Amino acid sequence: MRWKTRTTAFTAALAAVTAAAATALVAITFSAGPASADTGTGYLRTSGRNIVDSAGRVVRLTGINWFGMETDNKTFHGLWANAPATWKGQLDRMASLGFNTLRVPYSGDALKAGAVATGINDFTNPDLVGNSPLQILDKVITYAGTKGMRVILDRHRPTAAGQTPLWYTASVSEASMIADWVMLAQRYAGNPTVIGADLFNEPHAEGTDPNATGACWGCDVQARDWRLAAERIGNAVLAANPNWLIFVEGVSCLSGGVANEWDGIPDDPMACDWWGGNLSAAIDKPVRLNVANRLVYSPHEYGISVYDRQKWFNDPNFPNNLPAVWDFFWGKLAKQNVAPILVGEFGSTLANPLDVQWLTKLMGYIGENGLSFTYWSWNPNSGDTGGVALDDWYSINQTKYNILQPYLNPPSGNPNPTTPGPSVSPSRSASPSPSPSRSTSPSPSASPSTPPSPGTGACSKVVTITNSWQGGYQAEVRVTNTGTSAVNPWTVTWTVPSGVSLTNGWNATVTQSGTTFTAAAPNWSTSLAPNATAVIGFTATGPSSPAPSNVRLNGAACS
């Protein structure tokens, strides 16, 4: 991540442009697909604005960045932490909090023969000692897959020395970058935990117009046009592994340079965005890949703690002006059904109260439009944003998590369709405030050959009070079909104490009659296959003790 944008702009002109953008988008109709909440089965594809799994179910990736492999350590930061923040413990923690995807930044230095991973606590992580950066990555990917998580690899920098405006340098050629990608694509071929390649992190402007030397979009200069480079690199990756998704970030300024007010070159208020955030020209000048249904656009977006001179932060209508800005730079790609959007990085320390408004508005925009995301970052040592994790790499920043949590889809999917899907243990963190949650995590759907049958069968249950407060609580009811046939459609009921009233439910249609709560299967996941688990969440007013009881699946009592 990092920022840098144009140096000057005019607030009045910005207001006019954003108003025009908002007006232009009014006529666009948008209909979000069903929010299939797990990480799906098998490799992922795209279908219009959606990411779908091998069965065609809509998947929404709600992930987090865990960086370090792009630095001099050449491996994940935080491997120096004490228990319980072992490398597995941190992944357990991420999954239990509801992050279903891991974005892994790396640099070319970490892939070189003889690369050495440093900063590893040999007491808490003895199984990593002596491993190369790639061997540690292998272990993280394997373990993340057992949690139902997906992994996106991100070419963050050419070397550990730092971010560059172009995807290559004098010492690191485009050809060597492609060779690294091809190696990774082949290394993880056949492993659907790894879903794709974020080709290069934050291409951006350098120099002043008309003498720009940075990454442009659509300028047709082979050495600088990131759109053309993304096609070359992406097609090379797909030739090595056609199952991967290709994630393409934007640029900062379309021209590849910043405005030069001294020479009278105008500074278009909407010509520049965050590094990697400007995809405004991608509809007219799209990335063209040789394999259909593999392209995902991945902009970046940051708050005031990263860079406080973005003009939209000073708009008198802030934060209500922000959706028009996002529509213009990248949201229109999803709204016009061009391609899916995964917001690859966004974050803030939240030290400035305006950033709380920014992040809350952004998460609402992401949720309302059914977009995917990977938050920056897990790491507490991100200098300008901090992390979800605190300095012990295990406790969490509750303020950040409270804003993110309603939009998280726990990793209850199964990337490998040949093995049973894992379940995720309840979060061990302090839970979010009692705002209604919009996260979803349906069970795997039944095989298409399974005939609809209401069935009863046998079941097991786990009931967890995930949070409580004065006058109410949040709970999770997990029901596993332990029978030998699918239950289709499924219905789960449970009993609550007198005085408890339903506030909100998710992952099913939850209703109340007296002291009985009923969760009816959603229309996008009506069948509960053998060994599959339905996870229903709800909030309620009233006492949390005693906990919900008498859990039944289609009338059969669950053990």
Side-chain angles (χ1 to χ4, degrees), residues 343-386:
V343 185
E345 291 185 18
F346 60 102
S348 165
T349 61
L350 298 188
N352 188 323
L354 294 178
D355 269 8
V356 175
Q357 297 181 50
W358 161 81
L359 183 58
T360 301
K361 180 65 72 171
L362 177 61
M363 293 312 300
Y365 182 89
I366 285 172
E368 290 162 9
N369 291 292
L371 309 181
S372 293
F373 64 86
T374 49
Y375 183 79
W376 187 277
S377 61
W378 174 250
N379 304 50
N381 61 331
S382 177
D384 42 15
T385 67

Side-chain angles (χ1 to χ4, degrees), residues 367-453:
E368 290 162 9
N369 291 292
L371 309 181
S372 293
F373 64 86
T374 49
Y375 183 79
W376 187 277
S377 61
W378 174 250
N379 304 50
N381 61 331
S382 177
D384 42 15
T385 67
V388 169
L390 298 180
D391 287 344
D392 64 358
W393 294 82
Y394 199 81
S395 305
I396 64 167
N397 182 310
Q398 196 64 44
T399 302
K400 292 181 182 180
Y401 185 65
N402 286 352
I403 299 173
L404 297 172
Q405 191 276 338
Y407 306 94
L408 295 174
N409 292 330
S412 57
N414 182 20
N416 187 343
T418 64
T419 59
S423 60
V424 180
S425 60
S427 169
R428 287 168 286 179
S429 69
S431 296
S433 61
S435 58
S437 172
R438 281 184 261 180
S439 66
T440 52
S441 55
S443 60
S445 60
S447 164
S449 61
T450 303
S453 171

